[in-house]
Amino acid sequence: MFVYQFYFIMGGYAAIHYQEFVAFIRKWHAWLGRASLICACGTVLLYFYNVNILHLTLNKAEEVHQPFIFIYDIVIIGYIIWLGLRYADLRKDRLPKFATTFVGIGAKISFGIYLSQTLPLALMFVLLSILPFDNNWFLLIILPFVYVLTALMGYTLSYFFYKVPPFGFLIGRPQTLRKLAK
């Protein structure tokens, strides 16, 4: 419970002291990037520690309410905020139009990606279940590709729902009659 309360309090503090918060993120972004990479690797080590040393069940080993995950979340949220700030700095004149269009559409359908992610995740589960894997290291290596493919499927599905009436309501973007007439 404390973790979620902390995020709300931290978000409120950042909003009240926005200029100072942004200055802090911009000043320490390199540290946040390195710490994010270290913590990301640490999550993998934490999983193996939980399973092999503590002999926790799979559900407990993947529990998000662990002290290390809390630290990881704070660091990665800070780095993602810096990435957003960096994108905002570059989007006007230094990024290709297709990139800013892709992100702009993604902003419109992001909640839809969250809502429709079950289908791409289920598809990936079936696909990975069919493939014969003899070792977990291969799964770990292909994980980034699986993640990107799953995210792109969610993006595509949500974009379809966004554009094709009457499916907009499935992603929280219902098409109105006025919109349909255009």
Side-chain angles (χ1 to χ4, degrees), residues 39-80:
C39 286
C41 294
T43 62
V44 175
L45 296 175
L46 176 65
Y47 170 80
F48 286 116
Y49 174 77
N50 286 341
V51 170
N52 297 323
I53 306 295
L54 297 180
H55 304 291
L56 297 177
T57 64
L58 183 62
N59 283 345
K60 285 296 181 186
E62 294 176 347
E63 179 75 37
V64 296
H65 303 294
Q66 299 179 55
F68 179 79
I69 300 299
F70 178 65
I71 294 166
Y72 167 72
D73 288 346
I74 293 168
V75 170
I76 199 76
I77 288 168
Y79 192 63
I80 289 171

Side-chain angles (χ1 to χ4, degrees), residues 42-179:
T43 62
V44 175
L45 296 175
L46 176 65
Y47 170 80
F48 286 116
Y49 174 77
N50 286 341
V51 170
N52 297 323
I53 306 295
L54 297 180
H55 304 291
L56 297 177
T57 64
L58 183 62
N59 283 345
K60 285 296 181 186
E62 294 176 347
E63 179 75 37
V64 296
H65 303 294
Q66 299 179 55
F68 179 79
I69 300 299
F70 178 65
I71 294 166
Y72 167 72
D73 288 346
I74 293 168
V75 170
I76 199 76
I77 288 168
Y79 192 63
I80 289 171
I81 289 170
W82 178 78
L83 288 174
L85 291 169
R86 188 72 182 129
Y87 170 78
D89 293 341
L90 297 175
R91 77 172 171 205
K92 290 203 167 75
D93 57 356
R94 290 187 243 162
L95 289 177
K97 177 104 171 101
F98 75 88
T100 56
T101 302
F102 183 81
V103 172
I105 292 169
K108 289 179 185 173
I109 63 172
S110 62
F111 187 61
I113 295 170
Y114 169 73
L115 291 175
S116 65
Q117 71 182 342
T118 305
L119 186 60
L121 289 170
L123 186 61
M124 278 297 126
F125 177 78
V126 169
L127 200 76
L128 292 173
S129 298
I130 293 171
L131 298 174
F133 294 115
D134 289 341
N135 96 35
N136 289 333
W137 286 106
F138 181 72
L139 280 173
L140 187 63
I141 291 168
I142 68 166
L143 185 63
F145 302 105
V146 170
Y147 177 80
V148 168
L149 184 59
T150 305
L152 286 174
M153 285 191 302
Y155 184 100
T156 304
L157 186 61
S158 293
Y159 186 66
F160 173 81
F161 291 156
Y162 176 69
K163 283 297 201 184
V164 179
F167 299 114
F169 75 93
L170 293 172
I171 62 166
R173 293 269 186 181
Q175 293 95 346
T176 63
L177 292 176
R178 190 173 348 121
K179 230 186 200 178

